[in-house]
Structure formats: C-alpha cells, structure tokens
Amino acid sequence: MGLLTLRISYEASWFANIETAQSHICETVAKPEHKNASEIIVTRTLELMSLPSSFKWETYDTFNTTSFHSSDSFMSRMHYNRTCYDSKTETFKLAKGKGIQLIEPLWGMLRDPFDHWCGDKALHMEGQADATGQSKAHIMPQGFAPYTYTDSSTPPTPEESRQQEWRTHGLPPWHSSLRPSSDPRAGVAFQLPQNIHLDLGSSYFKVWSSDRGAASGQRFYDTYRNRGAASGQWFYDTYHARGQPFSRFIAVEVETLNDTTAFRQIPDDLVGLYTLMNVGLTMEEGDKLNTVDMIKRVVKPEDFFVFKLDIDSAPIEEPIVKSLLEDNPDEGGASALIDELDPKLIRYAQMFEHHVNYSPMNVPWENPKGVGDLHRSYNVFRDLRRKGIRAHSWP
C-alpha cells in the first residue's frame, strides 16, 4: 500500500524556492546547476523508457536485479508497506516488508524542461528530438521505474537503499493484488485483478482527424493541441503492449468525434475493451455521469488503475482533484483506487495536466482565473503522491 513520497534533496530544493522562482521560471531552470540536473533526469528517464518493445513484464519481478544507478539520486521515491490477507478476520493487515519505487522529481515547470515553452530561453540537449509542446520525456511510469524491497520492518535509509539490489523494469509486488471474495459455502476465493485505463479528455486514439488540422494563421499553441493531443496510443504502448493488457479502456471526450474514425484508429486487441463516451462527465452529486462515482463503480481496490485527466477546463478538473485529495481511502474514497494519475490501496496512476496561471503557460492555457499558480501545482502533486498516487504532470 502506498503511503507517501520522500522528497529527497533535489526535489526539496525546488519546494524551498518555487514560490519566488515561479515568476522567472525559465531563467531559473536555465541556471547551470538545474540544466545539469535536468539533463541527468531526462536522459535517465529516456534510457529507461527506450527498452525494446519485445521486452514485456507479465509476472512480478520479471527482470534481474542490478546495482543502484548514480543518476537515480536525483529521483524522488514512493514508499510502500507490505500487507497480507488474514483469512480469519477477512482483512488485509500490515506485515514485515518495505518497498521503494522511483518517480520523477517535481522540478522546474513540471514539464519536460527541454520542450519549447521558454522560447529563446528554452534548454537544448544534444541528441534529443525537437520538442512538440507535448513532450513526455520527464514522465517515469510504473513498469519503467526502478524499484527495490526488503522483508525488514523498518524502511531503509537513503544510503542503505543504495546498497540494495534494484530492478530497473517490471511489475513490483504493489502493482496489484488478488481480490478476496468470501462465500459462506465455499470459503474465501481469490479473483484476478483488472488493469483499467480512464482517459478524461481523450480525443482520438492516435491523432485528430485531418479535417481538424490547423487553419492558416491559427495560433501555434492551437496547432500543437490539435495535432498532438491524442494520448491513447501512448498509454497503449506504455502499459497494454508491455504484457499488462487493459481489461477496460474508457475514453471520454466532450468534443464530438466521428465514431468510424475513432474505432478505425484503435488496435485490433482493444476491440470490445475500448469504450468511447462522447459526453462530458460532471462532479454534480447524484448525476449518473459523476466522475468519482463512475470510478467507484468500475474500479476495485486490488485493480491497477491508470487515470489521465486533461480536459482543458480548470472548473471541472479542480473539483475532481479536490475530491481525491479530501476523501478518505480507508472509507471507500476514490483515491484508494488510483495507481497512476499517470492514487490506490494504493495502486492508482494519474496523469494530470494542472492548468494554473504562470508564465509562459498562461498563454496556451488562456490565463485561467482563480486556480492558483505553479507553487500550488507543486503542492497538489506532492499531496496526491502522499496519498499513494503515482501522480505525473501530463503535458
């Protein structure tokens, strides 16, 4: 079960200065010490993500162990406790065992620092492809994030963890778990968990249709949004095609899509698993399209749940995140269900583009009002991670 993120030195240095640094963020990121750190973090992340597609992880601990990589000292960490099922009480209880998995630090603009947003102040790194405005080179998703664990009852210190054996890829034991089900006649049976993806703000699976291309004279940030917003293929390649296929792939898009185009773009093995909801979800209590209520209906605590939230509407996104931050996972809250937001018991991955007001992102985000600044984004992602959610800043 995920507990919190340990803010090691590099991320902590940003938290200590972001309140003032956000007013000149491009200049701050360009300082030699931060440029060097950014090169190390992005290079290491790209190295981990570049594993040939033939390598898959279908069981826990697929890969052999290796020693701690020096670049990983810049990464942040998710800490996990081991739990075991007690058949007498029919509950999970804490047991001996601690786990650690790396995650990219919260730093800079919470985006790839080598993307183009800082204009003539943008960083450049030898060998990196031209940035498109939606680079994901800063994201370290589960499966590609080094991890280690022990049977100790106390968590290792940072120095002790460096001496441990690490696995660079694969499924850690906290990825998902069997789901116990009690029957008075048959006793306790265990069901296999599901892998589920919910994409709020999905667009098409691969690319927007050609008729939505940028018109002459259209602003550049509209061009990049229309051309590159589709995210389904990235999630398919990062999770589904790596030996952990999604049981359900739910795409939600409020803008009208062409059904034929949408289903033509999905791979063969998603037919029947892919659901397109071409309507807007809400956060209105009692509404059948309430986002959090739908998550609770679809996802169980033992499942692996990947949630992407990017609907370019702060008034809708903010209540969803607020609900996740305020609920109690021990009392059925939805945050106990999310693994990667690109939160769960906690196996929730969350990818979230947090639209706030700071330069230079206030231009493409059209100066959102009343949503806070970059400093607030840091706090939101930190608090999501503290709930056990592998929360990543989506571009």
Side-chain angles (χ1 to χ4, degrees):
M1 179 174 70
L3 291 181
L4 54 82
T5 293
L6 172 65
R7 287 189 286 153
I8 56 178
S9 57
Y10 189 62
E11 181 177 310
S13 71
W14 276 96
F15 267 88
N17 296 289
I18 189 59
E19 192 167 6
T20 55
Q22 64 184 347
S23 62
H24 44 86
I25 192 67
C26 292
E27 292 82 357
T28 302
V29 173
K31 290 181 178 180
E33 65 271 24
H34 293 310
K35 183 178 187 296
N36 178 64
S38 294
E39 288 182 351
I40 292 172
I41 294 166
V42 172
T43 298
R44 175 60 169 160
T45 303
L46 291 175
E47 174 187 277
L48 291 165
M49 292 292 290
S50 65
L51 194 71
S53 60
S54 58
F55 286 88
K56 304 179 188 300
W57 28 91
E58 299 174 339
T59 60
Y60 294 125
D61 295 342
T62 311
F63 287 71
N64 294 328
T65 58
T66 185
S67 57
F68 185 80
H69 195 287
S70 60
S71 297
D72 293 343
S73 297
F74 284 86
M75 306 302 176
S76 293
R77 304 174 175 209
M78 302 290 290
H79 285 242
Y80 298 86
N81 285 325
R82 183 186 181 198
T83 58
C84 291
Y85 186 71
D86 186 332
S87 58
K88 293 182 179 179
T89 61
E90 298 184 357
T91 58
F92 282 94
K93 292 186 175 180
L94 284 175
K96 290 180 63 176
K98 302 290 181 181
I100 298 173
Q101 188 160 33
L102 302 184
I103 189 169
E104 74 278 2
L106 301 173
W107 96 103
M109 293 169 57
L110 303 179
R111 306 176 76 89
D112 176 4
F114 298 97
D115 217 332
H116 68 70
W117 292 110
C118 285
D120 58 4
K121 298 185 181 69
L123 300 183
H124 301 280
M125 185 168 63
E126 184 177 353
Q128 187 183 17
D130 291 339
T132 63
Q134 293 192 323
S135 170
K136 303 167 188 64
H138 63 295
I139 295 176
M140 184 185 288
Q142 192 170 94
F144 300 85
Y147 67 94
T148 185
Y149 58 89
T150 71
D151 59 2
S152 172
S153 59
T154 58
T157 66
E159 182 55 38
E160 289 173 338
S161 70
R162 292 186 180 94
Q163 306 305 317
Q164 294 176 196
E165 293 294 302
W166 289 73
R167 286 180 169 83
T168 57
H169 297 82
L171 300 183
W174 46 87
H175 172 272
S176 57
S177 64
L178 295 173
R179 181 182 308 133
S181 177
S182 180
D183 185 285
R185 295 164 299 179
V188 177
F190 291 88
Q191 300 175 337
L192 292 174
Q194 298 187 92
N195 298 318
I196 299 171
H197 176 43
L198 172 61
D199 187 343
L200 292 191
S202 64
S203 71
Y204 287 104
F205 187 86
K206 291 184 178 179
V207 294
W208 282 100
S209 57
S210 58
D211 62 338
R212 190 176 157 79
S216 175
Q218 190 174 11
R219 289 174 295 181
F220 174 78
Y221 60 83
D222 279 339
T223 304
Y224 102 82
R225 181 183 297 165
N226 295 341
R227 184 177 57 213
S231 55
Q233 187 71 59
W234 188 88
F235 285 98
Y236 178 91
D237 292 341
T238 303
Y239 298 95
H240 186 96
R242 285 294 184 174
Q244 285 298 305
F246 288 117
S247 311
R248 298 195 64 178
F249 195 112
I250 305 170
V252 181
E253 176 57 56
V254 68
E255 185 164 344
T256 302
L257 304 181
N258 181 285
D259 287 348
T260 301
T261 300
F263 281 89
R264 185 187 297 127
Q265 291 188 13
I266 67 172
D268 294 352
D269 61 353
L270 279 188
V271 175
L273 307 177
Y274 178 88
T275 301
L276 175 61
M277 298 180 63
N278 208 178
V279 296
L281 299 185
T282 75
M283 282 298 291
E284 295 180 16
E285 188 174 352
D287 191 324
K288 65 181 179 182
L289 294 177
N290 180 284
T291 304
V292 173
D293 288 347
M294 187 183 78
I295 290 174
K296 291 179 180 179
R297 283 194 298 270
V298 173
V299 186
K300 305 301 180 186
E302 298 79 16
D303 296 332
F304 180 72
F305 179 38
V306 181
F307 178 28
K308 194 211 86 181
L309 176 59
D310 180 16
I311 50 180
D312 294 328
S313 176
I316 300 176
E317 292 172 342
E318 287 289 326
I320 296 174
V321 174
K322 184 173 184 288
S323 173
L324 296 175
L325 287 173
E326 292 181 351
D327 75 11
N328 186 338
D330 295 327
E331 297 180 0
S335 67
L337 304 173
I338 306 177
D339 290 297
E340 202 148 22
L341 203 132
D342 147 5
K344 189 168 142 178
L345 188 81
I346 280 173
R347 280 179 285 273
Y348 187 140
Q350 180 168 346
M351 312 287 179
F352 172 37
E353 184 171 31
H354 192 209
H355 299 94
V356 293
N357 198 348
Y358 75 96
S359 177
M361 299 310 299
N362 54 352
V363 175
W365 291 342
E366 299 175 348
N367 297 301
K369 305 298 183 184
V371 294
D373 50 21
L374 185 58
H375 183 213
R376 180 167 181 272
S377 280
Y378 269 71
N379 289 330
V380 166
F381 280 99
R382 176 202 60 197
D383 293 345
L384 287 169
R385 291 180 175 188
R386 281 180 170 174
K387 298 200 78 164
I389 300 168
R390 284 187 64 88
H392 309 273
S393 180
W394 184 255

